[in-house]
Amino acid sequence: MMPQDAVLAVTWRCNARCEMCGIWKVSEHDELPASAYAGLPSSLRDINLTGGEPFLRADLPALHETILRACPRARTVISSNGIFTQRILAQTREISRAEPNVGIAISIDGPTDVHDEQRGIRGAYDKALATLKALGDAGVRNLRLAFTATPRNAAYLGAMYALAQELGVEFTCAVVHSSEHYFHSTGDVRAMPIAVLREEIQLVMKGMLRTFSPKQWARAYFMKGLYDFAAGRGRPLPCRAGRDFFFMDPSGNVFTCNAAPFRMGNLKESSFNDLWNSPEAEESRRKALECGTGCWMVCTARTSIKRAWPRVLAWAIARKTTGVSLPEDAP
């Protein structure tokens, strides 16, 4: 089976100094040329372009167009810290001509001081908010406010969900993960204030389940998985790393996912089909099946939720009737 989902880090270059991420410390900047992305599989349906800060690539529109030609049925979301407003706006206008409904996710991790401290840049909050508003004013409709929960900002998760609603944009969330080959950090989720996170996640889940949108119900289930991960309960659904999805770094190394460092091959050294079916890839899949990290991010959970949609739908309908109540204590 070929993959449907991919996270593509197109650069390690970054203009932020995030405390939960070490990408900005990377000094090696070997980047695939835009033309190399023509080798991606046409099976992809969801692609996240990330970094580093992807808008630092001057050729990002060309890179994106190459991906669309290779993966014509894929939907693209570009994740950004939102600091370079005018650069992001100009490139998004160009990208939107090729994909009118391209998604742009701007990271906002709390109120002004909290966000600026977490991102390591004074004024980062004001710039990110200005970018979201400028993109909306420019007619970009597929916008997301992306929140990363850490021990510093867990208490503001619900407030950022409310801000997303106020701005009329979608809300996405992650909790800090350890990843030496992607985030270049060993962030410890065990330091998370679980009781605080529980209350905040429950608040957001209730809001999502009050809607009439099955997509929001699925996101409520995803939020449940975030709490399960942070509380040490593991994933609510089986992992499909290296089967349904993969992660690729800027130099073309393909891994089963962006959390575990199980390398499958390199796109510069072989075709994607040969890479995907290689002995190295099979060994990496075996390791992924035995992996006990229980990680849970949108990119690693989406295909699992789709595969288990009847179960997820039944869960949502039941919680819409009985209410949301997450377990209080870790196992």
Side-chain angles (χ1 to χ4, degrees):
M1 177 175 290
M2 295 298 284
Q4 297 90 52
D5 208 313
V7 174
L8 310 177
V10 298
T11 183
W12 290 141
R13 289 177 286 153
C14 192
N15 53 337
R17 297 294 182 266
C18 303
E19 65 181 13
M20 69 288 192
C21 173
I23 288 176
W24 57 273
K25 300 176 184 178
V26 176
S27 58
E28 184 66 38
H29 297 299
D30 177 25
E31 297 175 356
L32 289 175
S35 59
Y37 290 85
L40 291 172
S42 61
S43 59
L44 291 177
R45 300 294 181 269
D46 289 283
I47 297 174
N48 177 214
L49 299 183
T50 185
E53 171 52 49
F55 286 100
L56 289 179
R57 285 197 63 149
D59 63 347
L60 186 64
L63 186 157
H64 168 263
E65 189 171 358
T66 300
I67 290 173
L68 287 189
R69 287 197 298 268
C71 315
R73 289 180 287 178
R75 298 167 295 187
T76 310
V77 173
I78 306 175
S79 297
S80 170
N81 57 39
I83 292 175
F84 284 168
T85 300
Q86 293 307 313
R87 184 185 185 98
I88 294 167
L89 187 59
Q91 289 193 350
T92 300
R93 283 177 172 147
E94 189 173 350
I95 288 167
S96 294
R97 288 197 284 270
E99 185 180 358
N101 201 41
V102 64
I104 307 294
I106 303 297
S107 296
I108 299 183
D109 293 336
T112 305
D113 291 346
V114 173
H115 178 80
D116 288 2
E117 290 173 4
Q118 181 148 301
R119 294 285 163 172
I121 299 291
R122 182 175 297 177
Y125 176 89
D126 291 338
K127 292 172 182 177
L129 188 59
T131 299
L132 262 181
K133 291 179 177 179
L135 289 168
D137 291 344
V140 180
R141 292 291 168 254
N142 190 359
L143 295 174
R144 296 105 188 274
L145 186 159
F147 179 89
T148 299
T150 69
R152 177 190 291 277
N153 72 346
Y156 299 100
L157 195 160
M160 293 303 100
Y161 173 68
L163 177 60
Q165 292 183 304
E166 178 186 330
L167 294 171
V169 302
E170 303 221 22
F171 178 78
T172 64
C173 184
V175 297
V176 62
H177 277 65
S178 174
S179 174
E180 295 182 6
H181 71 293
Y182 176 34
F183 299 121
H184 297 270
S185 70
T186 54
D188 190 355
V189 75
R190 292 174 297 180
M192 190 75 69
I194 294 299
V196 172
L197 185 67
R198 175 181 179 270
E199 294 303 315
E200 295 295 311
I201 285 181
Q202 283 190 156
L203 178 67
V204 173
M205 289 172 66
K206 289 174 182 176
M208 292 174 168
L209 289 170
R210 276 196 296 267
T211 72
F212 294 98
S213 167
K215 183 177 181 179
Q216 292 300 315
W217 303 348
R219 286 183 171 173
Y221 186 89
F222 173 77
M223 296 298 294
K224 169 195 178 301
L226 284 181
Y227 177 74
D228 288 343
F229 167 71
R233 296 179 173 274
R235 296 171 58 97
L237 294 172
C239 177
R240 300 283 303 175
R243 291 175 289 170
D244 287 352
F245 59 88
F246 65 90
F247 166 73
M248 188 169 75
D249 75 12
S251 61
N253 291 306
V254 175
F255 298 85
T256 56
C257 71
N258 49 357
F262 305 138
R263 184 182 181 275
M264 305 177 77
N266 187 290
L267 194 61
K268 292 185 293 188
E269 298 168 359
S270 65
S271 70
F272 190 89
N273 188 64
D274 288 346
L275 179 160
W276 194 250
N277 293 292
S278 68
E280 185 179 2
E282 285 301 314
E283 175 63 13
S284 294
R285 290 188 189 96
R286 184 191 64 76
K287 291 178 180 178
L289 284 173
E290 298 173 354
C291 176
T293 60
C295 64
W296 187 257
M297 292 174 272
V298 170
C299 48
T300 65
R302 180 165 35 223
T303 56
S304 295
I305 289 175
K306 287 180 179 178
R307 284 179 174 274
W309 180 239
R311 173 178 168 181
V312 173
L313 182 61
W315 174 91
I317 292 172
R319 297 316 180 279
K320 284 175 70 69
T321 303
T322 62
V324 175
S325 180
L326 295 171
E328 294 187 12
D329 301 315

